[in-house]
Amino acid sequence: MTNVVVVGSQWGDEGKGKIVDWLSEKADIVVRFQGGHNAGHTLVIEGTEYKLSLLPSGIVRPGKTSVIGNGVVIDPTALVAEMDTLISQGVTISHDNLMISYSTPVILPVHSMVDNAREALRGEGKIGTTGRGIGPAYEDKVARRGIRMADLLDREALREKVGAIADHHNVWLDAAGVDRVNADDMVDSLMAHRERLEPFLGDVWASLHQARRSGSKVLFEGAQGIMLDIDHGTYPFVTSSNTVPGQAAAGSGVGPGSVGFVLGITKAYTTRVGSGPFPTEEAGPEGEKMGVRGHEFGTVTGRKRRCGWFDAVMVRQAGRIAGIDGMALTKLDVLDGFDTLKICTGYRLDGHEVDRFPAASADQARVEPVYEEIEGWDEKTEGARSWADLPPKAIKYIKRLEELTGIPVATVSTSPERDDTILVRDPFEG
């Protein structure tokens, strides 16, 4: 048996939550290793919908340990609210099944203020952030002035650190014409959640080391997608953390040898939230049909997602960057009933064909997709649970995606329900 890391192979929103939940049946521990409450997962289990932003998807599985690693950034108010919502839905959350790293950075109210003010000043050139303060919190972490969860345990030391952060950001807020923040108010806000969160804090790296020695199976859960990676994505229209599988090790405190099978969650078409290049975007009725049938609205923001055809160039590139071993193809059922499907097999840039997403943002904005067309299917794939249940033309489409991306399909998801999943290759078996 091997550990498994789950990443998105596109721009996020690929359906990672359901796949992580489905895989967690075989895992002992589920670890979230990057991002914040700007990312969201929606799980549908026996008709009940669970919305997660910070908590690992394994939290809804009894008997599993969920871990929030040091690579995540936490807004304590948002985390407590999410916990309370799940508890009201009957989910058990205690120090027996949830651990949060002492080293996890904290998102302060000033971070979201800075985030929103910056976006407003960018005007038409805005990045499309969620305004939750993710980027500014990571900036403070890298600048070595950030607050960590462990700092909540010492109010006096916390007040000094928060005061320094307030002084730093107030200079910019003054220049931007935005109201200043008060350090004491932010400390009071953090202290309001200290008693609730303290029992969950621990040395995640030590617990994972012991789990590895005991032979426990670990499922590492990423947020967003490879093409939103701060280094490898469509910069600057990216998130503020590394979304690649290597971050699973760095963001939880384990060695790279602990990261085993890399499963790339891949939507059967392409979507994107916010600004940035999108070569295969379909602004007409076919894109609208994908959006309506796929319920393409952000779990966190409710923003409508941009929809388009499958981009095999982008997924192939993501697969090579991330070392993806297998593809979990999701939302195949959304394509039921399309007469013709398009697949992007290359790009055209200034009259020349290119086989990869350019690094320069100006070039990314100008690339044009080169399509091949494939016949759609009239039969229903929704709810299929075996390869034999799929229409021959749907299988042909899947096989073509494998050929073009160079990534073999490991699972196929045919609805939001947990059990509507076809297993081709078990990631935990390597």
Side-chain angles (χ1 to χ4, degrees), residues 263-275:
L263 183 67
I265 315 302
T266 309
K267 195 176 287 185
Y269 49 102
T270 308
T271 62
R272 178 164 200 168
V273 172
S275 306

Side-chain angles (χ1 to χ4, degrees), residues 282-298:
E282 177 55 63
E286 290 171 316
E288 185 69 20
K289 182 178 179 180
M290 294 177 199
V292 172
R293 296 189 62 182
H295 306 288
E296 296 295 353
F297 296 90

Side-chain angles (χ1 to χ4, degrees), residues 60-71:
V60 300
R61 287 269 189 183
K64 309 297 179 181
T65 299
S66 291
V67 172
I68 300 177
N70 57 277

Side-chain angles (χ1 to χ4, degrees), residues 189-200:
S189 174
L190 293 175
M191 286 297 98
H193 301 301
R194 169 181 165 172
E195 184 176 347
R196 180 74 180 279
L197 296 177
E198 184 176 356
F200 299 101

Side-chain angles (χ1 to χ4, degrees), residues 233-296:
T234 49
Y235 190 91
F237 302 100
V238 293
T239 193
S240 301
S241 60
N242 286 111
T243 62
V244 292
Q247 180 63 20
S252 58
V254 300
S258 297
V259 179
F261 189 95
V262 178
L263 183 67
I265 315 302
T266 309
K267 195 176 287 185
Y269 49 102
T270 308
T271 62
R272 178 164 200 168
V273 172
S275 306
F278 188 169
T280 65
E281 184 171 11
E282 177 55 63
E286 290 171 316
E288 185 69 20
K289 182 178 179 180
M290 294 177 199
V292 172
R293 296 189 62 182
H295 306 288
E296 296 295 353

Side-chain angles (χ1 to χ4, degrees), residues 98-251:
L98 175 64
M99 175 180 278
I100 303 169
S101 172
Y102 281 126
S103 302
T104 304
V106 174
I107 299 174
L108 300 173
V110 69
H111 292 138
S112 59
M113 292 175 62
V114 169
D115 205 357
N116 286 305
R118 285 178 180 170
E119 280 288 84
L121 290 173
R122 290 187 182 108
E124 293 184 1
K126 65 182 180 180
I127 293 173
T129 74
T130 60
R132 266 114 171 124
I134 310 300
Y138 274 120
E139 290 175 30
D140 278 350
K141 169 187 173 178
V142 174
R144 293 169 291 188
R145 60 174 170 262
I147 304 300
R148 291 173 152 192
M149 292 298 290
D151 293 323
L152 271 62
L153 306 183
D154 186 338
R155 184 184 180 114
E156 185 175 338
L158 176 66
R159 174 60 181 81
E160 182 177 348
K161 292 180 179 181
V162 171
I165 289 177
D167 290 342
H168 172 82
H169 288 296
N170 276 334
V171 173
W172 187 87
L173 292 173
D174 284 342
V178 179
D179 291 341
R180 285 175 153 243
V181 293
N182 182 280
D184 290 324
D185 289 343
M186 289 194 288
V187 170
D188 289 343
S189 174
L190 293 175
M191 286 297 98
H193 301 301
R194 169 181 165 172
E195 184 176 347
R196 180 74 180 279
L197 296 177
E198 184 176 356
F200 299 101
L201 302 182
D203 289 314
V204 162
W205 65 268
S207 295
L208 292 178
H209 173 72
Q210 184 58 42
R212 187 182 184 190
R213 287 172 60 90
S214 66
S216 296
K217 296 185 290 296
V218 182
L219 180 60
F220 296 94
E221 176 183 5
Q224 288 103 14
I226 300 302
M227 299 311 291
L228 289 176
D229 184 272
I230 187 66
D231 289 307
H232 301 287
T234 49
Y235 190 91
F237 302 100
V238 293
T239 193
S240 301
S241 60
N242 286 111
T243 62
V244 292
Q247 180 63 20

Side-chain angles (χ1 to χ4, degrees), residues 394-411:
I395 295 174
K396 182 179 179 181
Y397 180 72
I398 295 171
K399 292 296 184 181
R400 186 57 177 150
L401 299 189
E402 289 183 314
E403 292 171 359
L404 291 169
T405 62
I407 305 172
V409 167
T411 68

